[in-house]
Amino acid sequence: MAEKSTREVSMTASRNAPETTPEDRAATRPEGRTAAAPRLSRLSRAQWLREQLENAIVDGHFAPGDRLDPVALARDYACSRTPIREALQQLEASGMVRVYPKRGTFVTQLGVADLIERFDVMAELEGMCARLAARRITQEELAGLRQAHESCRDCLDGSDADRYYHANGTFHHLIYAASHNAFLTQEATRLHAILKPYRRLQLHVHHRLQESFAEHEAILEAIERHDANAARRAIQQHVQLQGNRFNDLMATMPQLREDPLA
Amino acid sequence: MAEKSTREVSMTASRNAPETTPEDRAATRPEGRTAAAPRLSRLSRAQWLREQLENAIVDGHFAPGDRLDPVALARDYACSRTPIREALQQLEASGMVRVYPKRGTFVTQLGVADLIERFDVMAELEGMCARLAARRITQEELAGLRQAHESCRDCLDGSDADRYYHANGTFHHLIYAASHNAFLTQEATRLHAILKPYRRLQLHVHHRLQESFAEHEAILEAIERHDANAARRAIQQHVQLQGNRFNDLMATMPQLREDPLA
DNA sequence: TGCCCAACTGTTGTATACATCAGGGCCGTG
DNA sequence: CACGGCCCTGATGTATACAACAGTTGGGCA
């Protein structure tokens, strides 16, 4: 009954300091034709919580299938259930969690079929990013991408999977940004975040880091040559390989089952 | 004070009194997630409201830029602000509305640059849908697609733009579904919905219906031949044309201004 | 007369109280 | 002894009350 799959979630004391006042950009548009034109945006508690919870999920503090108890979270974040609930609603719309009415909110647990679907879409989106990036990347962005690539190499030497994982995320995100399509960047980032908990599992597969790095090199090279087709194909293959490898991994780990509540 | 740009949203007359028992659950579920039917999930009031509001936005009852007043909506739907707020939070995560803290919630208003970005992504996603559909579509699905195509032809004769618009949506959605990738279908549907209010504007462009229909024919033909590449290229061109045409339209309507917040 | 500051007002954000429902245990019965 | 229904418990969903804040407006001062 009290299985790990529905373990309680508390992460006490890891969160505090609600004093962060993240004021955003001031008005980039001094007059918007109406006095009611929205100007600056301080994000509310609920939105701040959404970011926190999203990071907690992506970083593995909550595993797929975990229940997110609103009262425990309210206790941990020293607020009431209301903003917690709103944050969870938003996360559900992003696909990070799943709300089962009257039964609770759970971190999205994807089955093999779900993951294949998402990796396919991820490959297509990243392919688009790479294609556009090959055409539109600036010198500064290219330099940053090279630097991120070198960071990956550094982590490679020590076989530090976690650090490599982080540098890898930076590398990919820089490609998204280099597409110069903000919406595409946003969507790719969101999907990347959803898949992150699952990608983590395949980190420790033998020699995977080296292979990944080699694939990165091919991608970077194609982008440097501004070869849109090659860049697209290279990154699509890269992502699809991740998906396939994960699929293999799942086949050997039957305890990772499908969504039990579905 | 009460300026046109932030016109109040009450739709009191258009909204019928929802005293219809909220228990009339999934009866009218157009195209929710198809994830293995997770139980008799009678959706909560907030989720029901999300669907209602989403439809209202997509169908043009709320125009981009309109403010969604929680108290008015609560009055119209005979509930408190809480579920309204949760529904709006979800819609924000979907990109349908924009919440400006302490300022109010507004239907997302996209500028020209935003629209170009989204049409580009839409073209890529639909291209993927068509590519997969060409390979995976079943006979039943193909028959349905042909039927939807013929429905488009019918609307064409009478130059009934609104009905054509609806049939067009069905046609595209069937292609999404024929990809047999539920996640891709979901994402494409979501983006399609976001763009719908803008697509509507170009409906009455002269001869656009005929052109659109001809493009549909090329797409259908390619899918019938199971020619994945041709299908992909045809639908990408189709979507990109919509984007370009919309872009042209916007250039002649300067009063459609950008979204004030990046 | 014009500008600046301060209280006001209406809205949004959060907390709390209440209603409703799913799940489980207990009891009665076949 | 097994099965099925009822009540109880605990959680979630909703309503309402309260607090904080953006924009406004009126008054005071230069």
Side-chain angles (χ1 to χ4, degrees), chain B residues 65-235:
Chain B
D66 281 354
R67 190 173 86 96
L68 297 177
D69 184 6
V71 299
L73 292 171
R75 206 168 20 79
D76 292 340
Y77 286 97
C79 65
S80 76
R81 275 173 45 219
T82 309
I84 298 279
R85 277 182 59 83
E86 291 191 353
L88 292 178
Q89 299 278 355
Q90 288 183 270
L91 286 180
E92 199 219 4
S94 301
M96 306 277 305
V97 308
R98 201 78 201 257
V99 175
Y100 298 95
K102 290 285 187 186
R103 299 299 200 81
T105 302
F106 300 82
V107 178
T108 302
Q109 188 168 32
L110 298 173
V112 180
D114 303 306
L115 281 165
I116 292 173
E117 289 185 351
R118 280 156 181 78
F119 270 106
D120 279 352
V121 175
M122 185 88 248
E124 191 84 4
L125 285 183
E126 294 219 22
M128 183 179 179
C129 289
R131 174 168 61 83
L132 294 177
R135 296 209 303 250
R136 302 177 177 174
I137 195 167
T138 67
Q139 287 303 318
E140 292 76 21
E141 288 169 339
L142 194 52
L145 194 61
R146 281 201 203 93
Q147 188 176 342
H149 186 56
E150 292 307 315
S151 296
C152 284
R153 189 199 302 278
D154 293 343
C155 309
L156 201 66
D157 294 337
S159 283
D160 189 338
D162 284 332
R163 274 185 55 227
Y164 180 86
Y165 189 53
H166 187 262
N168 170 73
T170 304
F171 182 80
H172 280 264
H173 188 77
L174 286 177
I175 292 177
Y176 305 161
S179 75
H180 289 266
N181 181 323
F183 179 71
L184 175 61
T185 302
Q186 172 187 315
E187 294 297 296
T189 302
R190 184 171 59 87
L191 185 48
H192 189 90
I194 291 175
L195 292 176
K196 215 168 179 181
Y198 300 91
R199 262 195 261 248
R200 183 191 312 277
L201 290 179
Q202 68 177 346
L203 271 182
H204 305 283
V205 172
H206 207 50
H207 281 165
R208 178 60 196 140
L209 264 56
Q210 281 77 8
E211 290 175 9
S212 170
F213 182 77
E215 289 156 18
H216 280 198
E217 199 138 79
I219 296 163
L220 176 59
E221 199 179 313
I223 291 178
E224 280 175 334
R225 283 185 288 121
H226 302 290
D227 187 337
N229 266 326
R232 178 174 147 279
R233 269 184 283 115
I235 204 167

Side-chain angles (χ1 to χ4, degrees), chain A residues 177-245:
Chain A
S179 75
H180 289 266
N181 181 323
F183 179 71
L184 175 61
T185 302
Q186 170 187 316
E187 294 298 294
T189 301
R190 183 171 59 87
L191 185 48
H192 188 91
I194 291 174
L195 292 177
K196 214 168 181 182
Y198 299 92
R199 262 196 260 249
R200 183 191 312 277
L201 290 179
Q202 68 177 342
L203 271 180
H204 305 284
V205 173
H206 207 50
H207 281 166
R208 178 58 196 143
L209 262 57
Q210 281 78 6
E211 290 174 10
S212 170
F213 182 76
E215 289 156 20
H216 280 198
E217 199 138 79
I219 296 163
L220 176 59
E221 200 178 313
I223 291 178
E224 279 175 335
R225 282 185 288 121
H226 301 290
D227 187 337
N229 267 327
R232 177 173 147 281
R233 271 184 283 116
I235 205 167
Q236 277 189 341
Q237 199 174 349
H238 175 57
V239 175
Q240 286 289 10
L241 267 175
Q242 290 181 337
N244 291 342
R245 295 216 163 245

Side-chain angles (χ1 to χ4, degrees), chain B residues 232-243:
Chain B
R232 178 174 147 279
R233 269 184 283 115
I235 204 167
Q236 277 189 342
Q237 198 173 350
H238 175 56
V239 176
Q240 286 290 9
L241 267 175
Q242 290 180 336

Side-chain angles (χ1 to χ4, degrees), chain A residues 10-83:
Chain A
S10 83
M11 66 187 292
T12 317
S14 74
R15 260 300 123 210
N16 217 333
E19 188 44 44
T20 52
T21 49
E23 68 285 357
D24 280 3
R25 58 192 56 74
T28 55
R29 198 159 291 273
E31 55 83 29
R33 222 190 105 220
T34 55
R39 291 235 166 77
L40 87 165
S41 76
R42 301 166 59 94
L43 37 100
S44 70
R45 190 85 191 221
Q47 285 177 313
W48 179 78
L49 280 167
R50 184 190 61 76
E51 279 191 18
Q52 297 301 310
L53 292 176
E54 184 174 318
N55 289 336
I57 292 171
V58 169
D59 293 344
H61 286 110
F62 305 139
D66 282 354
R67 190 174 87 94
L68 297 177
D69 184 6
V71 299
L73 292 171
R75 206 169 21 79
D76 291 340
Y77 287 97
C79 65
S80 77
R81 276 173 45 219
T82 309

